[in-house]
Amino acid sequence: MGSIVGAAIVSHHPGLMQCEEFRVLQGAGADSDLIPGYARLRERIEKARPDVAIIFDSHWFTTGYHLVDGAPRYQGTYISDEMPWYLHGVPYDYRGHPDLALAIEAVSREQKGYNRVINHPDLGKQYATINLVKQLRLERSDTPVVTVSSCQNCDWRHFLKSGEAIAEAVRRSDLRVLLLASGALSHKFNPIDWKPKHPRIFHESNVSRPENIVSDKGAIALMEQGRHDMVLDRWQDEYRKMPWEAFGAHYLQMLGAMGGANCRARGVALSEYENARGTGNVHMWFDGGSSEATAKVAA
């Protein structure tokens, strides 16, 4: 029987792919704490010993289905169509896990859900996946990666259901699975002519709106307490309106796989809460098997 051995919300913001000298210059002499946060996260992953990582990609927008990338291998050179002037020429070469991808679709069909496998040689990648593959050294550890999209015509219940199908597919396998929700919390960019409020560009006071900071920190506090049910209770009235990146698809699918409102996995912040062009970012780790539903998966 398979198990979910750990999960994390992980920032992927492209500025972290710039050279250290440029980041320090931007940061008024202080680098982003998200960089050493990746090292802290790698330590947790090493202890969890996953056989495969599932990345919920908040940049891979799809319509009609939660797509699951099902190729056996991904190779190429990445260039961002969003920021090609510095995020370009990034080579990648990592394994997929077709069996798990197909199992997710099979369970979803049984449950009358919307998870479907796609395996096309010309399908491009997104930096929400590539940055994590690089920063978490999943290539180096030869850990297979399955990427799941953010379906833009879904609401929060659909994302939870997508995660439930993934959890059942994991349960039926013999795999130790790591879940990575790749994205920010509040995701409102600062205008192009914005002037920093704080000289350290990554500082939280440079998040686009004061109310977003308050809301993000409130969500982080609830996650630290393991009160994901309270996050869901506030979803439509607060977190959906901020809004979170990709409508929160990355977090919600991860949470659905961990038991949804029944999940009591306590979050551990592995970085400072930081700004990235106005968005609120943090790395947060959750141990596997911390809810009744997840415990059944991890048994």
Side-chain angles (χ1 to χ4, degrees):
M1 185 177 292
S3 60
I4 293 171
V5 295
I9 297 172
V10 190
S11 174
H12 61 240
H13 86 77
L16 303 180
M17 298 298 284
Q18 294 171 323
C19 68
E20 182 179 2
E21 181 179 2
F22 187 81
R23 291 196 313 268
V24 170
L25 181 65
Q26 268 198 328
D31 202 355
S32 166
D33 189 55
L34 293 165
I35 295 293
Y38 282 128
R40 299 171 195 131
L41 184 51
R42 289 196 299 268
E43 291 178 0
R44 298 276 179 150
I45 294 172
E46 184 176 352
K47 290 178 181 177
R49 298 181 293 107
D51 298 315
V52 59
I54 295 177
I55 297 179
F56 300 103
D57 188 316
S58 58
H59 277 225
W60 185 17
F61 282 110
T62 54
T63 307
Y65 290 115
H66 312 283
L67 290 184
V68 182
D69 221 345
R73 191 162 207 96
Y74 304 100
Q75 294 174 295
T77 302
Y78 178 74
I79 179 169
S80 165
D81 54 3
E82 180 185 355
M83 299 175 184
W85 58 93
Y86 73 83
L87 190 49
H88 62 86
V90 181
Y92 60 89
D93 183 359
Y94 62 94
R95 288 196 292 147
H97 202 296
D99 289 346
L100 178 57
L102 290 168
I104 291 170
E105 176 174 335
V107 170
S108 182
R109 287 183 181 275
E110 287 178 17
Q111 298 178 349
K112 302 188 184 307
Y114 301 97
N115 300 60
R116 298 293 185 269
V117 171
I118 185 72
N119 178 4
H120 196 289
D122 296 326
L123 184 65
K125 309 307 294 180
Q126 307 295 327
Y127 68 73
T129 289
I130 298 300
N131 285 10
L132 265 59
V133 167
K134 291 296 183 180
Q135 294 286 2
L136 300 180
R137 300 176 183 170
L138 299 176
E139 287 172 307
R140 186 179 303 181
S141 64
D142 199 31
T143 302
V145 173
V146 173
T147 296
V148 179
S149 77
S150 297
C151 183
Q152 62 184 340
N153 57 323
C154 291
D155 66 23
W156 63 278
R157 294 176 183 86
H158 298 121
F159 293 127
L160 290 175
K161 187 173 179 62
S162 170
E164 290 170 9
I166 290 167
E168 178 59 18
V170 171
R171 188 191 69 81
R172 297 181 189 182
S173 76
D174 60 355
L175 298 169
R176 298 173 59 83
V177 177
L178 170 71
L179 307 177
L180 298 172
S182 179
L185 303 186
S186 64
H187 199 255
K188 172 68 176 176
F189 289 116
N190 288 319
I192 197 169
D193 58 353
W194 164 79
K195 303 300 181 187
K197 298 175 184 176
H198 191 283
R200 183 187 167 203
I201 196 70
F202 305 113
H203 194 270
E204 68 178 48
S205 63
N206 288 326
V207 170
S208 58
R209 297 171 178 169
E211 58 266 34
N212 288 9
I213 299 172
V214 172
S215 179
D216 286 349
K217 288 192 168 185
I220 289 169
L222 289 175
M223 290 185 223
E224 288 176 333
Q225 298 165 33
R227 294 309 306 268
H228 301 275
D229 57 328
M230 295 181 69
V231 176
L232 293 179
D233 286 344
R234 300 181 186 184
W235 195 264
Q236 290 295 94
D237 291 334
E238 183 176 348
Y239 304 123
R240 177 65 185 89
K241 293 179 180 178
M242 284 302 154
W244 280 21
E245 186 165 15
F247 320 116
H250 52 310
Y251 165 72
L252 292 169
Q253 291 185 96
M254 178 192 77
L255 181 61
M258 297 182 72
N262 293 322
C263 180
R264 292 295 179 270
R266 292 177 178 268
V268 178
L270 297 182
S271 74
E272 295 176 15
Y273 170 72
E274 290 190 347
N275 159 70
R277 290 195 176 269
T279 68
N281 292 259
V282 70
H283 300 323
M284 180 161 285
W285 173 263
F286 306 91
D287 286 331
S290 298
S291 73
E292 180 181 352
T294 309
K296 291 178 182 178
V297 175

mmCIF file with all atom_site columns, all heavy atoms in Angstrom, residues 141-155:
data_model
loop_
_atom_site.group_PDB
_atom_site.id
_atom_site.type_symbol
_atom_site.label_atom_id
_atom_site.label_alt_id
_atom_site.label_comp_id
_atom_site.label_asym_id
_atom_site.label_entity_id
_atom_site.label_seq_id
_atom_site.pdbx_PDB_ins_code
_atom_site.Cartn_x
_atom_site.Cartn_y
_atom_site.Cartn_z
_atom_site.occupancy
_atom_site.B_iso_or_equiv
_atom_site.pdbx_formal_charge
_atom_site.auth_seq_id
_atom_site.auth_comp_id
_atom_site.auth_asym_id
_atom_site.auth_atom_id
_atom_site.pdbx_PDB_model_num
ATOM 1   N N   . SER A 1 141 ? 18.833  13.604 -7.706  1.00 0.00 ? 141 SER A N   1
ATOM 2   C CA  . SER A 1 141 ? 18.436  12.423 -6.928  1.00 0.00 ? 141 SER A CA  1
ATOM 3   C C   . SER A 1 141 ? 17.708  11.393 -7.773  1.00 0.00 ? 141 SER A C   1
ATOM 4   O O   . SER A 1 141 ? 17.354  10.319 -7.281  1.00 0.00 ? 141 SER A O   1
ATOM 5   C CB  . SER A 1 141 ? 17.541  12.844 -5.767  1.00 0.00 ? 141 SER A CB  1
ATOM 6   O OG  . SER A 1 141 ? 16.332  13.412 -6.240  1.00 0.00 ? 141 SER A OG  1
ATOM 7   N N   . ASP A 1 142 ? 17.481  11.709 -9.062  1.00 0.00 ? 142 ASP A N   1
ATOM 8   C CA  . ASP A 1 142 ? 16.784  10.831 -10.005 1.00 0.00 ? 142 ASP A CA  1
ATOM 9   C C   . ASP A 1 142 ? 15.386  10.474 -9.511  1.00 0.00 ? 142 ASP A C   1
ATOM 10  O O   . ASP A 1 142 ? 14.903  9.356  -9.692  1.00 0.00 ? 142 ASP A O   1
ATOM 11  C CB  . ASP A 1 142 ? 17.598  9.556  -10.266 1.00 0.00 ? 142 ASP A CB  1
ATOM 12  C CG  . ASP A 1 142 ? 17.153  8.849  -11.548 1.00 0.00 ? 142 ASP A CG  1
ATOM 13  O OD1 . ASP A 1 142 ? 16.705  9.544  -12.480 1.00 0.00 ? 142 ASP A OD1 1
ATOM 14  O OD2 . ASP A 1 142 ? 17.238  7.612  -11.606 1.00 0.00 ? 142 ASP A OD2 1
ATOM 15  N N   . THR A 1 143 ? 14.731  11.453 -8.865  1.00 0.00 ? 143 THR A N   1
ATOM 16  C CA  . THR A 1 143 ? 13.366  11.258 -8.383  1.00 0.00 ? 143 THR A CA  1
ATOM 17  C C   . THR A 1 143 ? 12.382  11.531 -9.515  1.00 0.00 ? 143 THR A C   1
ATOM 18  O O   . THR A 1 143 ? 12.381  12.625 -10.078 1.00 0.00 ? 143 THR A O   1
ATOM 19  C CB  . THR A 1 143 ? 13.063  12.207 -7.213  1.00 0.00 ? 143 THR A CB  1
ATOM 20  O OG1 . THR A 1 143 ? 14.005  11.985 -6.166  1.00 0.00 ? 143 THR A OG1 1
ATOM 21  C CG2 . THR A 1 143 ? 11.647  11.999 -6.697  1.00 0.00 ? 143 THR A CG2 1
ATOM 22  N N   . PRO A 1 144 ? 11.539  10.586 -9.884  1.00 0.00 ? 144 PRO A N   1
ATOM 23  C CA  . PRO A 1 144 ? 10.538  10.844 -10.923 1.00 0.00 ? 144 PRO A CA  1
ATOM 24  C C   . PRO A 1 144 ? 9.575   11.946 -10.486 1.00 0.00 ? 144 PRO A C   1
ATOM 25  O O   . PRO A 1 144 ? 9.281   12.103 -9.296  1.00 0.00 ? 144 PRO A O   1
ATOM 26  C CB  . PRO A 1 144 ? 9.806   9.508  -11.060 1.00 0.00 ? 144 PRO A CB  1
ATOM 27  C CG  . PRO A 1 144 ? 10.720  8.493  -10.471 1.00 0.00 ? 144 PRO A CG  1
ATOM 28  C CD  . PRO A 1 144 ? 11.478  9.196  -9.393  1.00 0.00 ? 144 PRO A CD  1
ATOM 29  N N   . VAL A 1 145 ? 9.089   12.703 -11.467 1.00 0.00 ? 145 VAL A N   1
ATOM 30  C CA  . VAL A 1 145 ? 8.189   13.823 -11.210 1.00 0.00 ? 145 VAL A CA  1
ATOM 31  C C   . VAL A 1 145 ? 6.932   13.676 -12.063 1.00 0.00 ? 145 VAL A C   1
ATOM 32  O O   . VAL A 1 145 ? 7.012   13.412 -13.267 1.00 0.00 ? 145 VAL A O   1
ATOM 33  C CB  . VAL A 1 145 ? 8.880   15.169 -11.532 1.00 0.00 ? 145 VAL A CB  1
ATOM 34  C CG1 . VAL A 1 145 ? 7.884   16.328 -11.424 1.00 0.00 ? 145 VAL A CG1 1
ATOM 35  C CG2 . VAL A 1 145 ? 10.071  15.399 -10.614 1.00 0.00 ? 145 VAL A CG2 1
ATOM 36  N N   . VAL A 1 146 ? 5.783   13.838 -11.428 1.00 0.00 ? 146 VAL A N   1
ATOM 37  C CA  . VAL A 1 146 ? 4.501   13.891 -12.128 1.00 0.00 ? 146 VAL A CA  1
ATOM 38  C C   . VAL A 1 146 ? 3.913   15.276 -11.874 1.00 0.00 ? 146 VAL A C   1
ATOM 39  O O   . VAL A 1 146 ? 3.714   15.661 -10.722 1.00 0.00 ? 146 VAL A O   1
ATOM 40  C CB  . VAL A 1 146 ? 3.535   12.803 -11.625 1.00 0.00 ? 146 VAL A CB  1
ATOM 41  C CG1 . VAL A 1 146 ? 2.148   12.986 -12.240 1.00 0.00 ? 146 VAL A CG1 1
ATOM 42  C CG2 . VAL A 1 146 ? 4.080   11.414 -11.943 1.00 0.00 ? 146 VAL A CG2 1
ATOM 43  N N   . THR A 1 147 ? 3.667   16.037 -12.937 1.00 0.00 ? 147 THR A N   1
ATOM 44  C CA  . THR A 1 147 ? 3.117   17.380 -12.795 1.00 0.00 ? 147 THR A CA  1
ATOM 45  C C   . THR A 1 147 ? 1.614   17.363 -13.052 1.00 0.00 ? 147 THR A C   1
ATOM 46  O O   . THR A 1 147 ? 1.141   16.728 -13.994 1.00 0.00 ? 147 THR A O   1
ATOM 47  C CB  . THR A 1 147 ? 3.798   18.361 -13.767 1.00 0.00 ? 147 THR A CB  1
ATOM 48  O OG1 . THR A 1 147 ? 5.185   18.466 -13.431 1.00 0.00 ? 147 THR A OG1 1
ATOM 49  C CG2 . THR A 1 147 ? 3.187   19.742 -13.680 1.00 0.00 ? 147 THR A CG2 1
ATOM 50  N N   . VAL A 1 148 ? 0.872   18.087 -12.207 1.00 0.00 ? 148 VAL A N   1
ATOM 51  C CA  . VAL A 1 148 ? -0.581  18.199 -12.323 1.00 0.00 ? 148 VAL A CA  1
ATOM 52  C C   . VAL A 1 148 ? -0.932  19.658 -12.585 1.00 0.00 ? 148 VAL A C   1
ATOM 53  O O   . VAL A 1 148 ? -0.387  20.565 -11.952 1.00 0.00 ? 148 VAL A O   1
ATOM 54  C CB  . VAL A 1 148 ? -1.280  17.705 -11.039 1.00 0.00 ? 148 VAL A CB  1
ATOM 55  C CG1 . VAL A 1 148 ? -2.800  17.839 -11.156 1.00 0.00 ? 148 VAL A CG1 1
ATOM 56  C CG2 . VAL A 1 148 ? -0.888  16.260 -10.743 1.00 0.00 ? 148 VAL A CG2 1
ATOM 57  N N   . SER A 1 149 ? -1.855  19.891 -13.506 1.00 0.00 ? 149 SER A N   1
ATOM 58  C CA  . SER A 1 149 ? -2.199  21.253 -13.918 1.00 0.00 ? 149 SER A CA  1
ATOM 59  C C   . SER A 1 149 ? -3.162  21.927 -12.951 1.00 0.00 ? 149 SER A C   1
ATOM 60  O O   . SER A 1 149 ? -3.735  21.294 -12.050 1.00 0.00 ? 149 SER A O   1
ATOM 61  C CB  . SER A 1 149 ? -2.832  21.229 -15.313 1.00 0.00 ? 149 SER A CB  1
ATOM 62  O OG  . SER A 1 149 ? -4.180  20.791 -15.250 1.00 0.00 ? 149 SER A OG  1
ATOM 63  N N   . SER A 1 150 ? -3.377  23.228 -13.185 1.00 0.00 ? 150 SER A N   1
ATOM 64  C CA  . SER A 1 150 ? -4.396  24.014 -12.490 1.00 0.00 ? 150 SER A CA  1
ATOM 65  C C   . SER A 1 150 ? -5.511  24.305 -13.489 1.00 0.00 ? 150 SER A C   1
ATOM 66  O O   . SER A 1 150 ? -5.337  25.117 -14.393 1.00 0.00 ? 150 SER A O   1
ATOM 67  C CB  . SER A 1 150 ? -3.795  25.325 -11.970 1.00 0.00 ? 150 SER A CB  1
ATOM 68  O OG  . SER A 1 150 ? -2.779  25.074 -11.024 1.00 0.00 ? 150 SER A OG  1
ATOM 69  N N   . CYS A 1 151 ? -6.635  23.634 -13.330 1.00 0.00 ? 151 CYS A N   1
ATOM 70  C CA  . CYS A 1 151 ? -7.749  23.788 -14.273 1.00 0.00 ? 151 CYS A CA  1
ATOM 71  C C   . CYS A 1 151 ? -8.500  25.072 -13.949 1.00 0.00 ? 151 CYS A C   1
ATOM 72  O O   . CYS A 1 151 ? -9.060  25.211 -12.855 1.00 0.00 ? 151 CYS A O   1
ATOM 73  C CB  . CYS A 1 151 ? -8.670  22.580 -14.194 1.00 0.00 ? 151 CYS A CB  1
ATOM 74  S SG  . CYS A 1 151 ? -10.026 22.641 -15.372 1.00 0.00 ? 151 CYS A SG  1
ATOM 75  N N   . GLN A 1 152 ? -8.535  26.004 -14.914 1.00 0.00 ? 152 GLN A N   1
ATOM 76  C CA  . GLN A 1 152 ? -9.014  27.347 -14.612 1.00 0.00 ? 152 GLN A CA  1
ATOM 77  C C   . GLN A 1 152 ? -10.533 27.471 -14.539 1.00 0.00 ? 152 GLN A C   1
ATOM 78  O O   . GLN A 1 152 ? -11.039 28.494 -14.059 1.00 0.00 ? 152 GLN A O   1
ATOM 79  C CB  . GLN A 1 152 ? -8.454  28.338 -15.633 1.00 0.00 ? 152 GLN A CB  1
ATOM 80  C CG  . GLN A 1 152 ? -8.868  28.102 -17.057 1.00 0.00 ? 152 GLN A CG  1
ATOM 81  C CD  . GLN A 1 152 ? -8.195  29.069 -18.001 1.00 0.00 ? 152 GLN A CD  1
ATOM 82  O OE1 . GLN A 1 152 ? -7.711  30.131 -17.597 1.00 0.00 ? 152 GLN A OE1 1
ATOM 83  N NE2 . GLN A 1 152 ? -8.139  28.729 -19.271 1.00 0.00 ? 152 GLN A NE2 1
ATOM 84  N N   . ASN A 1 153 ? -11.281 26.480 -15.003 1.00 0.00 ? 153 ASN A N   1
ATOM 85  C CA  . ASN A 1 153 ? -12.736 26.569 -14.870 1.00 0.00 ? 153 ASN A CA  1
ATOM 86  C C   . ASN A 1 153 ? -13.247 25.627 -13.783 1.00 0.00 ? 153 ASN A C   1
ATOM 87  O O   . ASN A 1 153 ? -14.252 24.943 -13.915 1.00 0.00 ? 153 ASN A O   1
ATOM 88  C CB  . ASN A 1 153 ? -13.455 26.327 -16.209 1.00 0.00 ? 153 ASN A CB  1
ATOM 89  C CG  . ASN A 1 153 ? -13.125 24.994 -16.843 1.00 0.00 ? 153 ASN A CG  1
ATOM 90  O OD1 . ASN A 1 153 ? -11.992 24.530 -16.773 1.00 0.00 ? 153 ASN A OD1 1
ATOM 91  N ND2 . ASN A 1 153 ? -14.108 24.374 -17.487 1.00 0.00 ? 153 ASN A ND2 1
ATOM 92  N N   . CYS A 1 154 ? -12.519 25.615 -12.669 1.00 0.00 ? 154 CYS A N   1
ATOM 93  C CA  . CYS A 1 154 ? -12.883 24.821 -11.496 1.00 0.00 ? 154 CYS A CA  1
ATOM 94  C C   . CYS A 1 154 ? -13.083 25.731 -10.290 1.00 0.00 ? 154 CYS A C   1
ATOM 95  O O   . CYS A 1 154 ? -12.528 26.841 -10.245 1.00 0.00 ? 154 CYS A O   1
ATOM 96  C CB  . CYS A 1 154 ? -11.768 23.833 -11.153 1.00 0.00 ? 154 CYS A CB  1
ATOM 97  S SG  . CYS A 1 154 ? -11.565 22.511 -12.359 1.00 0.00 ? 154 CYS A SG  1
ATOM 98  N N   . ASP A 1 155 ? -13.845 25.261 -9.317  1.00 0.00 ? 155 ASP A N   1
ATOM 99  C CA  . ASP A 1 155 ? -13.867 25.951 -8.040  1.00 0.00 ? 155 ASP A CA  1
ATOM 100 C C   . ASP A 1 155 ? -13.137 25.093 -7.011  1.00 0.00 ? 155 ASP A C   1
ATOM 101 O O   . ASP A 1 155 ? -12.599 24.028 -7.333  1.00 0.00 ? 155 ASP A O   1
ATOM 102 C CB  . ASP A 1 155 ? -15.293 26.307 -7.603  1.00 0.00 ? 155 ASP A CB  1
ATOM 103 C CG  . ASP A 1 155 ? -16.151 25.083 -7.289  1.00 0.00 ? 155 ASP A CG  1
ATOM 104 O OD1 . ASP A 1 155 ? -15.609 24.002 -6.981  1.00 0.00 ? 155 ASP A OD1 1
ATOM 105 O OD2 . ASP A 1 155 ? -17.395 25.217 -7.347  1.00 0.00 ? 155 ASP A OD2 1
#
